[in-house]
Amino acid sequence: MSEKDWFKESYYTAKQLVERGLDKHVRIAVTGLSCSGKTAFITSFINQLLFAADNDRLPFFDMSKQQRIVGAKIQAYPDLHIPEFRYSAAIEYLTASEPQWPPSTSSIAQSQIKIRYKVSNRWYKKAKEFSSLTVDIVDYPGEWLLDLPLLRMSFKQWSTQCTECLGRGSRKELAQDWLDSQNKTQLSEMYDEQSVSEIAQSYRAFLQRCKQSKANISLIQPGRFILPGELAGAPVLDFFPVVDESILAQDWSSFEAESTVRVLEKRFNYYRDKVVKPFFYEYFSKVDRQILLVDCLSVLNSGYESYRDMQFTLSQLLQSFNYGQSNWVKRLFNPSIDKLMIAATKSDHVPPEQHRNLEAFMQNMLQQARNDIRYEGIKMESMAISSINVTQPVMAEHDGKKLMCVQGVEQSTKETIINFPGKIPQQPPTKQQWSDLEFDFVNFAPSNLSPGALPHIRMDKVLHFLLGDKFL
Amino acid sequence: MSNEQQDKPVKISLEKIKSQDKIEVTPINPLQLVEENEQQEAAQIVFKEQTKGGIKRLFWPAFSTLVIGAATFQTYQFIQELFLTNAMLGMAGIVVAGAALVSGGVALFNGWRARRRLANRQSAQQEFKRILQQDSYGKAGHSLQELTQEISEYVEISVLEKKYQSAKQQVHNDHELIQIYSNSVLAGLDKMALDIISKHASEAAVMVALSPLAIADMALVAWRSSKMIQELSRLYGCPQTAFGRIDMTKQVFKNMMLAGASELVAEAGVEMLGKTLTASVSTKVAQGIGIGVLISRMGIQTMSLCRPIEFTEQNKPRLSHLRKAIYNKVVGIVKNTDRDKNEERVKSPIIDDITQND
């Protein structure tokens, strides 16, 4: 590296540090399990910002309401090794002649948006009439997010957790193949590469079955076993949890270093320290705003087991983030999340009358986790949103009763339908009540979207909550 | 349970509906939804109405009957006497009495309507406040539409109304709808209201600063503030007549006294700053600014009395903005007149004598 380059680089770093000190840089973590609508959310988020300058559909985003936004644009990301979020491709998908949702994400992508706005603070205004805010936003496969709780666990703890999970719901049936193959091997003996690799193979197959099963299982760890990315076929993915109670009860230090259990532990540790840790360190440690997207509708469709599973998974996830009030000194050196929004997505699939119920349902589901976060002094809000609104509410009369329904194009049949999905309870139902409840949330496909500002539900509130206070 | 059946999901293909023609599908009209949800009772703690003593209660009805009866009797006698003198004179007497009766009746009726409008506005305010505390859907649309009609009778608000219509969505719940309305239509009116207040307040301030008589000051304040209250109440769609205005002024002063104490503390600092600055100009100017501030406070109270949706902490109008406008105007005018005086002083020494005698 020449001296000039070095100077340039340090100048760039210093400038970045100063900008962060002056609050001009926000990094938003969009978190959510797979199929919770992250890509759609990011697409809509960027879209709303790009059109915020003259869009009167954002009544709760003060900056837009006061017409202080001059303009916004997507900027080339300075970290060139990370692929860019393909915003225009996503819009292309939505507005095509046969519109469809953007495909689910299979690797990481990042986007940077720069917003130019009128300064309203009376002191800063004297120095500068216009200023700009840079927003970083990262998209990544939701499957990988589930690796986050692993960071706090040892192999033994993880195995214990997996054993407990196997007792719940339909997992046991799905896992039968893998359990059989594991039972054939003596885990405390010397390891044999061939058989370990075979068992790992059947464990991965089990996870794939969980993913595809109708029971809507959330907790599928480790995430890279489903979507290996660049790690496909690498030996680091050849491990599986030990679910043999008798081995779990023993002290593992008595086993030989070459025993199967110890080898599995070694691989787990490698996976945790060399794959998961750097990933989250790079993308999430510098985050100062977070939004958690929750798809309550699939949970309501699938019932009690799925509800418990998602509740457990999300609580685990939320515990893994680094929360704390950030002042500017702290932000400079060790930024942490100071605002969290928990959003129930796809609320356009629910009649507007029931949005409040949807919110209450989600709040109740995450009550414990929310309580823990609030204890840390984080500003938190939860609401029912829809990144891209593809339905419209209608009243329909059915069997002499007036029902508020939603009308839209069904994803599977491409037919226009009117759907009353059932009444969402505000209080979390008991196990008994769950079996009585019946829901039918249909997946709607996008239709009739123009390439301009996308229709949405409460994205303006999201923008205001996540960015509102960052404008000077 | 009959309720449970309603909760079962229903999915209907639109094609099927069209072929069967049995199910009726309509776009949601928020106006139809109003009465469907039963109203939640808000827990309220209120004083029970005090019963007045029987004799005491009789005073006003008895007194007014006496006065009206006496007046009618007197008029009747008077006209009869006129007829005795001359038939034409009698006819003229009837016409005059009739005109007085009709115009007085109309004025009374208008006054009564204005008072009712104000009372309605107060209850609308309570109603919106109640809705804001609930999580309901489909209740507010109707009331807001009525409100728009009420206001547009007196003010042209189609631009603001358009802004509201484009911002609201079908999916917004009552809370959000009211907020959007408050931030679009009413925020526009608030801006105009502040202009009116600052105009009247600064005018009164200048007049007081320049007027030489204390008694004239008082008349000025009464006149300007009454005029301002009239304009403000008209702007928010519940115009007050002369009678109604007295009622309103009473309420405004009551509110000022109630809210005054806390506000005064917050504003005292700025007011003192204003005074120290103005004291150096002249005491008369300081008085003018004081009056201006008083009228601004009255204006702000009138605003919050007439505004159908209560102010929140964020959009509450603040005295400090108005004070600056008043100060600039008064000081500007007084300085100008001072300069004029100085110029005149050079021309005629007689005026110089008069000003010194002052």
Side-chain angles (χ1 to χ4, degrees), chain B residues 18 43 77 86 94 99 113 122 218 265 279 284-285 308-310 321 347:
Chain B
K18 278 176 188 153
Q77 271 194 336
N86 187 330
I94 285 186
R113 257 186 32 171
Q122 309 281 297
M218 280 159 68
V265 176
K284 201 62 193 164
V285 170
I309 299 162
E310 281 185 353
H321 306 304
K347 280 180 209 155

Side-chain angles (χ1 to χ4, degrees), chain A residues 56-57 60 352 356 393 395-397 404 410 415-423 438 442 456 458 461, chain B residues 6-14 23-26 28 135 137 166-167 169-171 176 179-180 183:
Chain A
D56 43 13
R57 288 245 150 184
F60 289 104
R356 179 64 207 138
M395 287 304 270
E397 215 169 295
M404 194 182 284
E410 191 177 15
E415 219 179 297
T416 305
I417 58 154
I418 287 169
N419 187 36
F420 178 75
K423 205 158 163 70
E438 221 180 289
V442 178
H456 65 89
R458 302 200 181 92
K461 284 191 168 177
Chain B
Q6 199 182 337
D7 297 348
K8 296 274 186 253
V10 184
K11 185 168 94 185
I12 317 154
S13 162
L14 203 62
I23 303 166
E24 187 195 344
V25 180
T26 45
I28 290 188
D135 302 303
Y137 176 85
S166 66
Q169 288 174 42
Q170 190 92 86
V171 291
E176 289 164 328
Q179 275 183 327
I180 294 174
N183 288 337

Side-chain angles (χ1 to χ4, degrees), chain A residues 355-405:
Chain A
H355 283 183
R356 179 64 207 138
N357 290 23
L358 182 65
E359 275 169 36
F361 178 82
M362 180 188 64
Q363 283 168 354
N364 281 322
M365 180 161 86
L366 298 175
Q367 202 167 32
Q368 189 56 47
R370 286 171 64 237
N371 179 46
D372 293 346
I373 294 167
R374 210 178 293 123
Y375 177 83
E376 300 286 339
I378 309 296
K379 254 190 136 173
M380 187 169 43
E381 226 174 86
S382 51
M383 62 180 65
I385 69 159
S386 166
S387 319
I388 303 166
N389 185 4
V390 296
T391 69
Q392 61 193 55
V394 289
M395 287 304 270
E397 215 169 295
H398 179 76
D399 289 346
K401 281 177 205 127
K402 275 199 167 176
L403 295 176
M404 194 182 284
C405 310

Side-chain angles (χ1 to χ4, degrees), chain A residues 427-443:
Chain A
Q427 293 299 319
T430 61
K431 197 172 179 178
Q432 181 57 39
Q433 282 168 331
W434 265 109
S435 56
D436 296 337
L437 286 170
E438 221 180 289
F439 294 104
D440 183 18
F441 290 101
V442 178
N443 279 323

